[in-house]
Amino acid sequence: MNKRALISVSDKTGIEELAKRLSEAGVEIISTGGTKRAIEAAGVSAIGVEEVTGFPEMMDGRVKTLHPRIHGGLLALRDNDAHMSALDDHNIDTIDMVIVNLYPFQATIENPEATFEDAIENIDIGGPSMIRSAAKNHRDVAVVVDPADYTRLLDELGSEGEISPEFKQKLAAKAFRHTASYDALIAEYLTEHAGEEYPETLTVTYNKKQSLRYGENPHQQAAFYERPLGKQTSIARAEQLQGKELSYNNINDADAAIGVVKEFTKPAVAAIKHMNPCGVGIGETIEEAFQKAYEADSISIFGGIIACNGEVDKQTALKMKEIFLEIVIAPSFTEEAAAVLSEKPNLRLLTISFKDAQSMEQRISTVSGGALVQDTDTLSFEDVETTIPTKRKPTDEELRQLEMAWKVVKHVKSNAIVLATEDSTIGVGAGQMNRVGAAKIALEQAGEKVKGAVLASDAFFPMGDTVEAAAQAGIRAIIQPGGSKRDQESIDKADEYGVAMIFTGVRHFKH
């Protein structure tokens, strides 16, 4: 009996050449709708599905392949006499290859003009059913869902006349990944429309963006995956203009840098090292913001990741060129800026859209044997109801400084302390086991700049020692969540030194 292949694809890449080669190899082709027309236009004959089933397509094509003459031919075990006898009894022929990919659900929902009804109509039913039937019986049936596998399929048929069991198994595994991802995307879309924020099961899918040379360290393997419906303001959606391939640590740091500059509407620049901001500046221009970020910590910025929320111009690029940087991220680069930075060919330049910078997205973190899911920390300064427990109230200038420090501290690993002026950080204490230790690091870094500056803490002070150390160094105002049983001790210390203090009632732990 000649081999038979069922071909029905939405993505018709390479399908004409595949059909020609299969036909030349003596494979009989069954096909449907637009795929059949494309194959026949290439000069290859194909049998319509309705000729196999003896039943016409109906309900606008919703029902065409869901039939025993199709699924019987796919699911029958060739070495099972009862199965083969059943095929004979019902005049069903075996199908040896299924070449199917699915309705473009993702492309449909990514179209801003698509309606909910459009999305529903692009949920494929017959395609996944055929793929799953063929993949379940992959010992006897080859199932191909990716045009990238057409060449290997043809090579195996050409050299041996048979497809190896090993390749069939790989194809089957890919087929189930394909349908699982497809269903996960549909589930995510419908769950969002139904208003379910944390459903009883978590069904998410990611598409591989690239293999990485290694993970956090050279002895660890790694890859980078992109969420299909992820936000535009994302490292996963970045376009790389020049430079070496991104590493695992580059991607983590770049994500952290983007998170910081998303906080600001004025021109802002953030410098990141090991996922912590080492310098953040805001200004009237990106050049001014970069200069302030650089001056905030001119040592730590060396080898760092830079994110800008505005276009990089030539003058800014000239300043960047003088420093060893790993990555510069911005919405765009002027031609002159790109030319300047191209003189450092290993420097990675990335562009991303900031269109949905303020939108919320859930974040997924893996732990051994499980996952943690939470909303991103998008709370703005305007959303916080502040109180002032100290005798001295902050001045207008200090309020602007406090807002700057508060926006940055939530991006610093806990325990976190940030010292700032109105337009730049001057000291950052990150990831310490106690809060006064984080404050001492930040104060030491700030040096004489601390006089008249402000302090932000990601969580409350369990005692008054941090307030006292800050006040003695010259800090004039503090912003912190409050809520400790010993708040009064911190308030009393602030009053003792004439320091203004704001309680936000909101903590910003970052682990």
Side-chain angles (χ1 to χ4, degrees):
M1 183 186 295
N2 288 337
K3 290 186 179 296
R4 303 171 83 218
L6 195 158
I7 306 178
S8 180
V9 293
S10 291
D11 178 1
K12 294 180 175 56
T13 304
I15 203 64
E16 294 91 346
E17 180 61 23
L18 176 67
K20 285 181 183 178
R21 296 279 300 279
L22 289 175
S23 180
E24 290 167 1
V27 176
E28 187 176 63
I29 295 173
I30 305 166
S31 193
T32 64
T35 305
K36 183 172 182 289
R37 290 191 291 274
I39 290 171
E40 290 176 335
V44 178
S45 61
I47 301 169
V49 165
E50 65 277 7
E51 297 177 60
V52 175
T53 63
F55 208 90
E57 291 187 16
M58 60 188 295
M59 301 177 188
D60 300 318
R62 282 189 171 202
V63 178
K64 54 190 173 186
T65 60
L66 297 170
H67 195 282
R69 289 183 182 271
I70 298 297
H71 288 273
L74 294 174
L75 286 165
L77 296 171
R78 308 314 194 246
D79 60 358
N80 185 306
D81 290 342
H83 285 200
M84 298 310 289
S85 178
L87 293 186
D88 288 340
D89 291 346
H90 296 284
N91 196 27
I92 299 173
D93 291 328
T94 57
I95 298 172
D96 308 287
M97 282 177 269
V98 167
I99 297 144
V100 171
N101 53 59
L102 307 175
Y103 292 171
F105 181 80
Q106 181 179 339
T108 300
I109 61 177
E110 285 179 337
N111 181 351
E113 297 181 4
T115 64
F116 183 77
E117 289 71 25
D118 292 332
I120 297 302
E121 283 306 308
N122 276 278
I123 296 176
D124 203 326
I125 301 300
S129 299
M130 288 188 291
I131 290 170
R132 288 173 61 83
S133 291
K136 177 175 180 174
N137 196 24
H138 66 268
R139 188 179 64 181
D140 296 318
V141 183
V143 54
V144 183
V145 296
D146 185 353
D149 293 318
Y150 293 170
T151 299
R152 170 83 183 271
L153 177 74
L154 291 169
D155 286 346
E156 294 225 354
L157 282 171
S159 61
E160 301 293 335
E162 294 290 338
I163 301 166
S164 68
E166 294 78 15
F167 186 45
K168 284 181 181 177
Q169 190 172 67
K170 286 185 177 182
L171 289 173
K174 180 182 271 193
F176 278 116
R177 292 197 301 271
H178 185 63
T179 56
S181 176
Y182 190 79
D183 284 343
L185 199 58
I186 294 168
E188 184 177 353
Y189 177 81
L190 292 177
T191 299
E192 182 178 330
H193 270 263
E196 296 277 2
E197 293 186 353
Y198 288 90
E200 73 289 345
T201 58
L202 182 66
T203 51
V204 294
T205 185
Y206 292 84
N207 298 326
K208 189 173 181 181
K209 188 176 177 75
Q210 68 186 85
S211 295
L212 301 174
R213 287 174 293 159
Y214 53 83
E216 284 184 284
N217 299 290
H219 60 275
Q220 296 168 266
Q221 292 185 329
F224 184 26
Y225 289 81
E226 175 184 1
R227 195 168 180 174
L229 300 182
K231 302 300 181 185
Q232 295 295 316
T233 312
S234 158
I235 182 61
R237 298 296 182 98
E239 178 185 355
Q240 185 165 350
L241 304 183
Q242 74 166 47
K244 298 184 294 184
E245 186 179 88
L246 295 175
S247 71
Y248 182 99
N249 292 332
N250 289 157
I251 292 166
N252 265 325
D253 285 345
D255 179 63
I258 293 165
V260 177
V261 294
K262 281 164 60 173
E263 294 284 345
F264 301 96
T265 53
K266 289 185 68 174
V269 172
I272 299 291
K273 287 291 285 293
H274 302 297
M275 296 184 69
N276 277 305
C278 58
V280 180
I282 57 176
E284 296 304 316
T285 65
I286 289 295
E287 180 187 359
E288 182 183 352
F290 174 76
Q291 186 64 33
K292 288 173 179 175
Y294 170 74
E295 291 173 353
D297 189 344
S298 59
I299 296 174
S300 298
I301 198 173
F302 184 85
I305 311 291
I306 300 294
C308 314
N309 65 359
E311 183 174 69
V312 174
D313 60 12
K314 181 180 180 180
Q315 289 306 116
T316 309
L318 287 168
K319 291 182 176 181
M320 291 177 172
K321 181 188 170 186
E322 298 305 310
I323 310 166
F324 168 55
L325 299 171
E326 291 277 4
I327 301 174
V328 179
I329 308 163
S332 58
F333 296 81
T334 66
E335 289 186 15
E336 294 84 359
V340 168
L341 296 174
S342 69
E343 296 176 28
K344 303 187 79 170
N346 286 335
L347 173 63
R348 293 98 156 171
L349 300 186
L350 304 179
T351 59
I352 67 165
S353 166
F354 276 79
K355 289 182 180 178
D356 55 6
Q358 306 307 317
S359 59
M360 196 279 291
E361 185 174 42
Q362 289 180 336
R363 296 186 73 93
I364 301 172
S365 301
T366 59
V367 295
S368 180
L372 296 168
V373 183
Q374 68 170 344
D375 295 345
T376 50
D377 187 356
T378 57
L379 195 72
S380 72
F381 193 71
E382 292 72 23
D383 294 330
V384 175
E385 293 185 14
T386 58
T387 57
I388 304 172
T390 50
K391 293 176 183 177
R392 191 173 80 79
K393 312 304 179 188
T395 65
D396 289 344
E397 179 184 7
E398 287 168 348
L399 281 171
R400 292 191 294 271
Q401 293 175 324
L402 290 166
E403 181 178 357
M404 168 73 179
W406 188 84
K407 286 182 175 181
V408 175
V409 78
K410 75 178 185 179
H411 297 277
V412 179
K413 298 293 185 182
S414 301
N415 286 312
I417 296 290
V418 169
L419 311 181
T421 64
E422 185 175 337
D423 50 20
S424 71
T425 56
I426 59 172
V428 177
Q432 298 305 300
M433 283 60 73
N434 64 75
R435 197 157 301 281
V436 71
K440 287 178 179 178
I441 291 170
L443 291 166
E444 182 179 349
Q445 181 188 345
E448 290 303 312
K449 295 179 185 177
V450 74
K451 306 296 183 183
V454 305
L455 178 151
S457 174
D458 65 334
F460 63 61
F461 300 133
M463 54 193 70
D465 50 3
T466 303
V467 175
E468 184 165 36
Q472 288 177 347
I475 290 293
R476 297 298 298 149
I478 291 172
I479 188 167
Q480 60 129 324
S484 169
K485 292 180 179 179
R486 299 174 68 172
D487 273 345
Q488 194 58 49
E489 183 178 331
S490 294
I491 295 167
D492 290 345
K493 283 294 179 185
D495 285 340
E496 180 183 337
Y497 288 94
V499 171
M501 188 155 61
I502 291 181
F503 284 177
T504 65
V506 175
R507 79 178 189 197
H508 284 306
F509 276 165
K510 190 173 181 65
H511 289 82

